[in-house]
Amino acid sequence: MKGKNPQERTPFLDAMLDYYRSRPIPFDVPGHKMGRLVTDLSRRLTPLILETDANAPIGMDHLMNPHGVIKESEQLMAKLCHADHALFSINGTTGGILSMFLGILDNRDKVILPRNCHKSVISALIISGAVPLFVAPDIDDELSIANGVRVEDYVRMMDEHPEAKAVFVINPTYFGIVSDLRRIVEEAHRRNMIVMVDEAHGSNFYFSKKLPLSAMDCGADVSSVSFHKNSGSLTQSSILLVRGERINFAELRRAYSMLTSTSPNPLLIASLDAARKEMALRGEELIEKDLALAERARKGINAIPGLFCPGREALEKKDSDALYDFDPTKLIISVRGLGLYGYDVYKELRKQSNIQLELGEFYVVLALIGPGTTEEDVEALLGALRELSARHASDRVVHHRRKAVASFPKAIVPPREGYDAPSRIVPLKDAVGAISAETVMAYPPGIPLLIPGELVTLDVVRQIAFLEREQGQVLKDSDGRSLKVIDVKNWYLENELSPFF
């Protein structure tokens, strides 16, 4: 119809449902044959999940080489997000980040990036062979979290390493903090450097002027965006956005094809199509609701003894462009005044009040407000926090039981060389002074405490031991209280490993 908003269309979702309604006789994969094999999944959930699960039949296009409904859906997404191209990543933002590194950076290319990056970035460094030039994020000692990176620190690294091919920025951090991305982009482009962005937690930025600027609106060249985290698509569905001419899109798509399943789940693709339409038509309205609920929650939390939930005003007092802007829908709740660790609160709220938070850290827990959050949800959270405060009234003291980690381990060799080096497993207590051969991280948020090629410090060992003692989720290659380190006896560093800088 003439004049109709093209964002009202859902090309792939329509094609998927048309295929289901046509009732074909399936002699292709998957093996359940449109749900004819009844399993507990279809018995206990809707049978439609299996009935609509098809593997790129006629009419539903191919994710690897789209020419039909997937291509149209991706074009609608690109236009909505002010990009030139959009690729659907059914391997999450992890898949998008792996694709951008492999498609843009060659072995030994240098990339400037913050050390508080996600595990997927370290994996991308190992796979691509790129050499990281780490910049330190601002550390909030009160909350014990890493914030953004100051523009001057990015600029200093660009000037010290003019040979760097790209700059990588987090927009925003897990906790909703953003650096001055537009200035970073301007400085990088002035030096002919590509700007790559991890926008896993910033899909909502594309739909409201009351939130920080999106990567595409800041002029970044490529961004990997978790549409599922803030904008309503299914878990594991993300988008890869590209803008401008600095990136060879054909090479990026080539890398993306290498890392993408040839049997993509159509439900993930359809969920991106449907969520894109919803956010295009109602995103501003939904985010307005989210902001109102977040403000209501923040005021309520700050009235509870022993708790503190900083807002934009508190962060602006820090007077640092490492905290240039903030997503208010992320509720950072400090529990230090209760005499508890965030890990304790995370588990206790689920057990006592059936409240599932996003994560628990040393002194904070994180609650996320999203399009599906209701007033009743916020009231339940506030009620649970009031009960928590009352239960721990006798413990309510402000103190520092553990100093925040204000530095990261020193990199000795590039991640790929550290990963490939001959290694051995040693007890954690004996690893101090060795060079790590593995990635160790607490998940969530997935920021590595240690990556291959870094020097193992006593501080890191203590932090790993603390997390394991507190039953935190520690992800690493080795089991138990042990660590995989480079076997120096079998690989002489001075002869086999080139200097890091």
Side-chain angles (χ1 to χ4, degrees), residues 398-436:
V398 178
H399 63 120
H400 294 257
R401 292 199 292 180
R402 184 176 179 83
K403 184 180 178 181
V405 176
S407 62
F408 293 98
K410 181 180 179 182
I412 305 299
V413 296
R416 175 187 275 188
E417 295 182 15
Y419 180 85
D420 286 340
S423 61
R424 57 194 177 94
I425 295 176
V426 300
L428 188 60
K429 63 182 178 62
D430 297 334
V432 177
I435 300 172
S436 177

Side-chain angles (χ1 to χ4, degrees), residues 424-488:
R424 57 194 177 94
I425 295 176
V426 300
L428 188 60
K429 63 182 178 62
D430 297 334
V432 177
I435 300 172
S436 177
E438 66 174 308
T439 300
V440 182
M441 67 174 185
Y443 186 85
I447 297 170
L449 305 172
L450 198 60
I451 68 175
E454 285 186 337
L455 188 68
V456 182
T457 64
L458 179 60
D459 190 43
V460 167
V461 167
R462 285 173 173 169
Q463 196 170 8
I464 295 170
F466 167 81
L467 289 169
E468 291 182 333
R469 187 171 66 249
E470 291 295 312
Q471 298 181 329
Q473 182 85 331
V474 179
L475 301 184
K476 54 191 179 77
D477 300 333
S478 50
D479 296 326
R481 298 290 294 276
S482 58
L483 193 69
K484 185 184 292 185
V485 300
I486 292 177
D487 189 348
V488 180

Side-chain angles (χ1 to χ4, degrees), residues 292-305 307 309 331 333 349 353 355 357 367 369 374-390:
L293 287 178
E295 182 62 20
R296 179 173 170 181
R298 190 167 278 108
K299 287 181 178 178
I301 293 167
N302 285 328
I304 299 173
L307 300 180
C309 184
L331 301 177
I333 307 170
L349 284 185
S353 305
I355 296 289
L357 296 171
I369 304 293
T374 66
E375 292 184 9
E376 292 76 16
D377 295 336
V378 170
E379 287 306 313
L381 173 64
L382 292 174
L385 291 173
R386 292 186 190 105
E387 292 174 5
L388 177 82
S389 176

Side-chain angles (χ1 to χ4, degrees), residues 34-81:
M34 298 186 72
R36 289 171 180 150
L37 173 64
V38 179
T39 68
D40 271 2
L41 184 67
S42 54
R43 290 188 191 100
R44 301 170 70 175
L45 296 177
T46 172
L48 200 58
I49 289 176
L50 291 178
E51 291 171 7
T52 56
D53 182 28
N55 186 33
I58 293 173
M60 282 176 60
D61 210 356
H62 295 266
L63 185 62
M64 307 288 283
N65 186 29
H67 290 89
V69 290
I70 292 179
K71 181 177 181 179
E72 185 181 352
S73 296
E74 290 180 334
Q75 288 173 336
L76 287 168
M77 183 70 83
K79 185 174 182 179
L80 179 65
C81 297

Side-chain angles (χ1 to χ4, degrees), residues 85-313:
H85 305 280
L87 296 173
F88 288 167
S89 173
I90 47 81
N91 190 28
T93 288
T94 291
I97 287 173
L98 292 174
S99 297
M100 71 168 74
F101 271 71
L102 192 60
I104 296 170
L105 301 173
D106 294 325
N107 187 35
R108 309 300 288 174
D109 276 346
K110 292 183 178 179
V111 54
I112 299 167
L113 70 165
R115 179 53 181 79
N116 60 320
C117 58
H118 187 261
K119 177 185 184 293
S120 60
V121 179
I122 307 305
S123 298
L125 290 169
I126 293 170
I127 291 172
S128 68
V131 177
L133 303 172
F134 286 122
V135 285
D138 173 79
I139 301 294
D140 189 315
D141 287 325
E142 181 182 354
L143 297 174
S144 190
I145 63 173
N147 295 319
V149 177
R150 294 180 300 172
V151 175
E152 64 187 72
D153 290 335
Y154 269 114
V155 171
R156 174 182 50 79
M157 191 64 79
M158 292 180 210
D159 289 341
E160 290 177 1
H161 296 276
E163 75 282 6
K165 187 173 183 178
V167 174
F168 184 86
V169 185
I170 304 170
N171 191 65
T173 68
Y174 205 112
F175 298 95
I177 309 296
V178 299
S179 306
D180 189 348
L181 179 57
R182 177 174 279 171
R183 279 187 58 206
I184 295 169
V185 169
E186 290 171 353
E187 295 287 350
H189 285 173
R190 190 175 295 126
R191 296 164 174 80
N192 295 316
M193 296 178 184
I194 293 168
V195 178
M196 309 188 298
V197 180
D198 174 354
E199 213 158 22
H201 298 274
S203 67
N204 50 341
F205 292 4
Y206 288 90
F207 309 111
S208 174
K209 293 181 180 179
K210 294 184 178 180
L211 292 175
L213 285 173
S214 70
M216 293 295 101
D217 287 338
C218 286
D221 301 294
V222 60
S223 178
S224 190
V225 188
S226 293
F227 223 71
H228 66 93
K229 283 185 168 70
N230 300 99
S231 300
S233 63
L234 289 177
T235 295
Q236 200 176 314
S237 58
S238 295
I239 55 175
L240 191 58
L241 300 173
V242 180
R243 181 174 179 174
E245 303 298 326
R246 288 181 178 82
I247 291 175
N248 184 328
F249 183 66
E251 283 298 308
L252 180 64
R253 178 178 277 286
R254 178 170 172 251
Y256 161 85
S257 296
M258 290 173 61
L259 297 163
T260 298
S261 172
T262 55
S263 302
N265 190 311
L267 291 172
L268 297 178
I269 302 171
S271 77
L272 285 168
D273 206 17
R276 183 265 314 148
K277 173 185 174 180
E278 200 67 22
M279 295 307 289
L281 302 181
R282 297 181 57 222
E284 190 171 357
E285 166 197 339
L286 289 168
I287 291 172
E288 195 69 34
K289 180 267 299 180
D290 291 348
L291 291 170
L293 287 178
E295 182 62 20
R296 179 173 170 181
R298 190 167 278 108
K299 287 181 178 178
I301 293 167
N302 285 328
I304 299 173
L307 300 180
F308 171 60
C309 184
R312 196 183 301 275
E313 302 78 12

